């Protein structure tokens, strides 16, 4: 009888087929998406906290006398955001359909306050000063637009009224209001992300190519106009096209970021060993944290981060493809366009393939105003992932989790609530738990 060792051609081929079959089996499991979202989010958040500590320690020591100042603030935001993510993961999708409307209204009110009484930093007016913290209303506006737009289009799709007029009214005016208010604060990067969310909604709902192309062309003209009318934006384009020719001016930040990325090599200088964070790279803890990551963790570290964002985007699109509800499909796609698109823009700016826009790297960069809405959106994706075929049954059969067991140790009966009920004579044996048919 021949073996793989006797037939070297069949040996590697058979191993590849076995691994492909194992991968297909893993992807067919009902909770694959659920665990992908949890795993990728947790790893990116932990890595982000670690990199914020490393990238901000020197500047924090110089400005506040405490090297842990910004790390502590980011940890507090994460400590608040993780419970928000957990709560959102347990909410029904009907809540998110309703939540988009008040969130849009609050975002518009917040952006109005920014225009008239906002805090201006580095030429941009984006923040509301509330005592010890700064709020940036444009960040929750991204989540509000994704939920509000998804519900609008889902209702029209259910009514069978998908025409181009119905695709744009009132979605286009609502998006335009947000975009104009953000642009009044000179925040072109966030405006582009809002437009990306808007375009993703139109794409998923099946907008005609002519309509889609016309909107893209109109947006391109608007962006060119905004760049040419503001001197600092024109300087950014000049610095992007020829950073080394303007290394002491418009291209300074790009050049320093490329030096950091290049000096990291394959495996980096080691965690905490960055040289560029010593006041060489502006905003090393936020906009350019990816360059510090590349310097300290090397090419392998940057590729790992890109892979995590890729898996997170795949998980979100998997939810959109496997759940039939129109709202879930639209909202999941919009969140993927927001998070993955923002990551692409940030990383592209750091490595020099895109102009610098000043938007953070989701889950990694410093900033509580950006972190909280992102974690809420990921918690929403977890809630949607539970509606995949077989996911509820698999979760019910899994038994009580750590939180439920902790409640049982306190005598609160958490484990009993988390444990699936045994079938009785009045319940068919094929049904697992009271929620199996929902």
């Amino acid at each position: 009888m021949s073996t793989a060792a006797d037939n070297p051609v069949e040996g590697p081929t058979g191993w590849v087929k076995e691994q492909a079959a194992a991968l297909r089996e893993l992807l067919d499991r009902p909770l694959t998406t659920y665990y992908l979202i949890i795993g990728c989010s947790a790893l990116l958040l932990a890595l982000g906290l670690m990199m914020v500590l490393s990238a901000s320690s020197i500047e924090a020591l110089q400005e506040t006398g405490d090297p842990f100042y910004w790390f502590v603030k980011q940890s507090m935001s994460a400590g608040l955001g993780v419970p928000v993510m957990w709560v959102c993961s347990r909410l029904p999708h009907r809540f998110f359909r309703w939540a988009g409307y008040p969130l849009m209204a609050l975002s518009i009110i917040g952006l109005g306050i920014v225009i008239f009484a906002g805090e201006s930093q580095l030429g941009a007016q984006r923040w509301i000063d509330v005592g010890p913290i700064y709020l940036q209303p444009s960040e929750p506006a991204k989540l509000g637009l994704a939920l509000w737009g998804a519900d609008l289009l889902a209702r029209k799709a259910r009514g069978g009224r998908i025409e181009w007029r119905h695709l744009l009214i009132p979605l286009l005016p609502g998006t335009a209001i947000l975009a104009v208010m953000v642009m009044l604060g000179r925040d072109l990067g966030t405006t582009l992300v809002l437009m990306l969310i808007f375009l993703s909604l139109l794409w998923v709902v099946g907008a005609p190519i002519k309509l889609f192309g016309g909107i893209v062309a109109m947006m391109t003209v608007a962006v060119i106009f905004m760049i040419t009318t503001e001197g600092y934006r024109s300087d950014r384009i000049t610095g992007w096209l020829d950073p080394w020719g303007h290394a002491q001016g418009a291209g300074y930040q790009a050049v320093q970021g490329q030096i950091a990325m290049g000096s990291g090599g394959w495996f980096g200088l080691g965690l905490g060993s960055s040289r560029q964070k010593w006041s060489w790279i502006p905003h090393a803890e936020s906009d350019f944290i990816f360059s510090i990551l590349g310097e300290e963790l090397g090419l392998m570290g940057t590729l790992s981060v890109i892979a995590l964002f890729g898996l997170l985007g795949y998980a979100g699109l998997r939810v959109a493809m496997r759940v039939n509800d129109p709202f879930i499909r639209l909202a999941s796609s919009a969140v993927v366009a927001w998070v993955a698109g923002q990551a692409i823009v940030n990383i592209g700016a750091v490595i020099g393939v895109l102009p610098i826009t000043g938007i953070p790297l989701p889950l990694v960069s410093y900033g509580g105003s950006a972190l909280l809405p992102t974690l809420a959106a990921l918690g929403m994706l977890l809630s949607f992932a539970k509606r995949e075929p077989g996911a509820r049954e698999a979760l019910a059969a899994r038994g009580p989790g750590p939180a439920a067991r902790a409640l049982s140790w306190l005598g609160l009966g958490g484990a009993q609530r988390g444990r699936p009920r045994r079938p009785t004579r009045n319940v068919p044996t094929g049904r697992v738990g009271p929620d199996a048919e929902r």
Side-chain angles (χ1 to χ4, degrees):
M1 182 174 63
S2 62
T3 63
D6 297 330
N7 194 340
V9 177
E10 293 183 1
T13 304
W15 181 84
V16 170
K17 291 181 178 179
E18 290 179 1
Q19 297 303 314
L23 179 61
R24 285 195 299 269
E25 181 182 357
L26 178 63
L27 294 178
D28 287 338
R29 294 180 181 179
L31 293 180
T32 295
T33 307
Y34 185 84
Y35 288 125
L36 273 177
I37 297 172
I38 291 178
C40 293
S41 302
L43 289 173
L44 286 170
L45 182 61
L47 180 63
L49 289 173
M50 182 175 64
M51 293 311 304
V52 166
L53 173 61
S54 177
S56 67
S57 57
I58 303 303
E59 189 173 354
L61 180 63
Q62 294 172 345
E63 294 189 7
T64 68
D66 181 7
F68 301 99
Y69 180 77
W70 281 317
F71 168 73
V72 170
K73 293 186 68 174
Q74 186 73 355
S75 299
M76 293 174 61
S77 298
L80 179 61
V82 170
V84 169
M85 180 179 177
W86 180 80
V87 170
C88 289
S89 71
R90 304 179 70 86
L91 293 173
H93 80 286
R94 295 185 299 274
F95 171 83
F96 298 105
R97 299 193 69 156
W98 167 85
Y101 295 86
L103 192 54
M104 275 286 289
L106 290 174
S107 299
I108 292 174
I109 293 172
L111 290 171
I113 296 174
V114 167
I115 294 173
F116 296 102
E119 184 76 13
S120 179
Q121 297 181 12
L122 301 174
Q125 192 164 334
R126 310 175 186 175
W127 297 272
I128 301 175
D129 187 359
V130 184
I133 62 175
Y134 286 95
L135 300 179
Q136 190 172 352
S138 59
E139 292 297 335
K142 299 172 186 176
L143 179 58
L145 178 60
L147 297 181
W148 176 72
D151 184 63
L152 283 177
L153 296 180
R155 292 179 185 276
K156 295 179 185 298
R158 182 174 297 178
R161 296 176 295 162
I162 294 297
E163 299 178 4
W164 71 270
R165 300 178 186 85
H166 298 143
L167 291 176
L168 297 181
I169 305 298
L171 181 59
L172 180 58
T175 305
I177 290 173
L178 286 181
V180 170
M181 297 182 77
V182 171
M183 278 306 304
L184 289 176
R186 298 185 175 183
D187 189 355
L188 179 60
T190 301
T191 305
L192 294 177
V193 175
L194 293 174
M195 292 297 101
L196 191 61
I197 294 172
F198 171 70
L199 291 176
S200 68
L201 291 171
L202 293 184
W203 180 268
V204 173
V205 83
I209 297 298
K210 292 182 179 180
L211 174 63
F212 195 85
I215 293 176
V216 171
M218 183 176 61
M219 289 170 49
T220 303
V221 172
V223 169
I224 294 174
F225 174 78
M226 289 184 290
I227 291 175
T228 55
T229 54
E230 289 284 353
Y232 75 94
R233 294 195 187 109
S234 301
D235 292 340
R236 284 186 177 182
I237 298 299
T238 302
W240 168 57
L241 294 175
D242 186 15
W244 292 92
H246 302 81
Q248 297 301 319
Y252 176 80
Q253 189 177 25
V255 166
Q256 296 301 324
Q258 292 178 25
I259 291 173
M261 296 287 292
S263 61
W266 284 95
F267 300 102
L269 302 178
L271 188 62
S273 301
S274 168
R275 295 186 288 262
Q276 295 300 105
K277 69 182 180 183
W278 288 76
S279 301
W280 287 102
I281 298 182
H283 311 295
E285 77 285 350
S286 55
D287 302 348
F288 264 63
I289 197 169
F290 190 75
S291 63
I292 304 298
L293 189 148
E295 186 180 12
E296 295 188 350
L297 302 182
L299 179 63
M300 294 297 102
T302 59
L303 291 179
S304 298
V305 171
I306 293 173
L308 288 173
F309 276 113
L311 287 173
L312 192 58
Y314 164 76
L317 293 179
R318 179 182 165 96
V319 172
M321 292 186 295
R322 289 169 62 91
V323 179
N324 293 325
D325 187 279
F327 169 76
I328 292 179
R329 181 168 297 176
L330 288 162
S332 300
S333 302
V335 169
V336 169
W338 158 23
V339 176
Q342 188 166 314
I344 291 172
V345 172
N346 179 276
I347 294 173
V350 172
I351 65 178
V353 299
L354 293 174
I356 297 173
T357 57
I359 62 175
L361 185 62
L363 298 174
V364 180
S365 293
Y366 171 79
S369 293
L371 182 61
L372 292 177
T374 304
L375 288 175
L378 294 174
M380 179 183 70
L381 286 182
L382 287 175
S383 175
F384 294 166
K386 295 178 183 179
R387 296 176 61 89
E388 288 190 18
R392 286 188 180 274
E393 291 82 355
L395 285 171
R398 190 181 57 175
R405 290 196 296 269
L407 289 174
S408 68
W409 296 338
L410 296 174
L412 299 179
Q416 294 297 328
R417 288 192 295 269
R419 183 181 297 119
R421 298 178 181 176
R422 295 180 179 178
T424 63
R425 293 181 180 178
N426 296 327
V427 179
T429 57
R431 180 180 176 187
V432 182
D435 296 330
E437 293 181 356
R438 298 180 183 175

